[in-house]
Amino acid sequence: MFRVFSDFDGTISTDDIGNVLFRRYAGEAAVEIVQRYLAGEITAPEYYLAECNAVKNLSRTDLHELVDQCSIDPSFKEFVELCRVHEVPLTILSDGFDVYVERFLAQHGLGHLRYFANHLDFVTEGSATRIVPSFPYTDSECPRCAHCKRNHLLTLSGDDDVLIYIGDGYSDRCPVRYADIVFAKRGLIRYCQEQNITYHEFRTFADVIVKMKQVFQEKRVKQRREAVHARRALFMEG
């Protein structure tokens, strides 16, 4: 059985909504915090906590207005329909926040899609509203990402499933090691090249659709040997 997993920011949404959010409402402080994270000085949860603390006043309405200005990949809805026709489960895995992922999907008539993301609360204090993040899907042994996408990839699949992953950025580096078919763009391409991970380059979901139609027509699709070994090794570790 095929199972598709897709990143959200910069993949389904053409903008990285998280970056847009923090750059608009945290200003120069956001840039400095990003640099500290990329330098390995702070973990992903610490990075998000710092970014949210730098945002002094942001209401849910403000965030919704920002999200509504962001665009969707023009071919993503067609891709969703392709998965539906072939009865292929599609799961969105975001290292961003649920409140904007949910809003974005609903605005585009895709509120039925399953997704996992970090959580964001709005806390009103006097005349200001601050945002407070929490991370229900972290991995206790790995601080690189606030949301461990790899764990969803493995827990939502079986031994014989062919796992398809679509992404573009840092939080996608880990899960592609465990996927059988990888679609990559932007920085994820370089990582796949460095790690010798077979991938298909894409710019929009139109490119993914072309390749997936070919895959669905094949009588037998093999799992990627390196991905199978990586999954088995992880399970052996317990």
Side-chain angles (χ1 to χ4, degrees), residues 81-198:
E81 178 62 13
L82 179 68
C83 291
R84 187 195 67 80
V85 168
H86 288 274
E87 299 181 335
V88 174
L90 168 61
T91 303
I92 298 169
L93 302 178
S94 173
D95 201 33
F97 293 102
D98 53 2
V99 65
Y100 69 69
V101 174
E102 183 173 324
R103 173 72 177 189
F104 185 91
L105 294 176
Q107 287 296 94
H108 291 283
L110 299 170
H112 62 285
L113 294 180
R114 178 170 58 174
Y115 75 88
F116 296 92
N118 301 311
H119 181 61
L120 199 65
D121 284 311
F122 292 82
V123 179
T124 300
E125 298 176 340
S127 60
T129 300
R130 63 188 181 93
I131 50 175
V132 180
S134 56
F135 313 102
Y137 306 116
T138 55
D139 187 290
S140 60
E141 297 181 359
C142 177
R144 285 183 296 177
C145 297
H147 171 194
C148 183
K149 298 180 178 183
R150 176 202 66 188
N151 287 352
H152 284 302
L153 208 72
L154 301 181
T155 58
L156 296 176
S157 61
D159 291 343
D160 297 327
D161 290 337
V162 174
L163 310 186
I164 301 162
Y165 194 87
I166 307 164
D168 77 320
Y170 185 83
S171 66
D172 304 311
R173 291 182 175 188
C174 179
V176 296
R177 294 177 53 210
Y178 302 87
D180 300 297
I181 300 174
V182 174
F183 291 92
K185 65 177 179 178
R186 300 194 182 100
L188 190 60
I189 290 177
R190 179 180 298 176
Y191 178 78
C192 288
Q193 292 172 341
E194 292 173 349
Q195 299 299 313
N196 198 28
I197 296 172
T198 302

Side-chain angles (χ1 to χ4, degrees), residues 6 21-22 43 53 71 87-88 95 98 123 125 133-134 152 156 165 200 202 216 228-229:
S6 177
L21 163 65
F22 291 121
T43 66
N53 287 337
S71 302
E87 299 181 335
V88 174
D95 201 33
D98 53 2
V123 179
E125 298 176 340
S134 56
H152 284 302
L156 296 176
Y165 194 87
H200 302 283
F202 78 102
F216 290 151
V228 172
H229 289 169

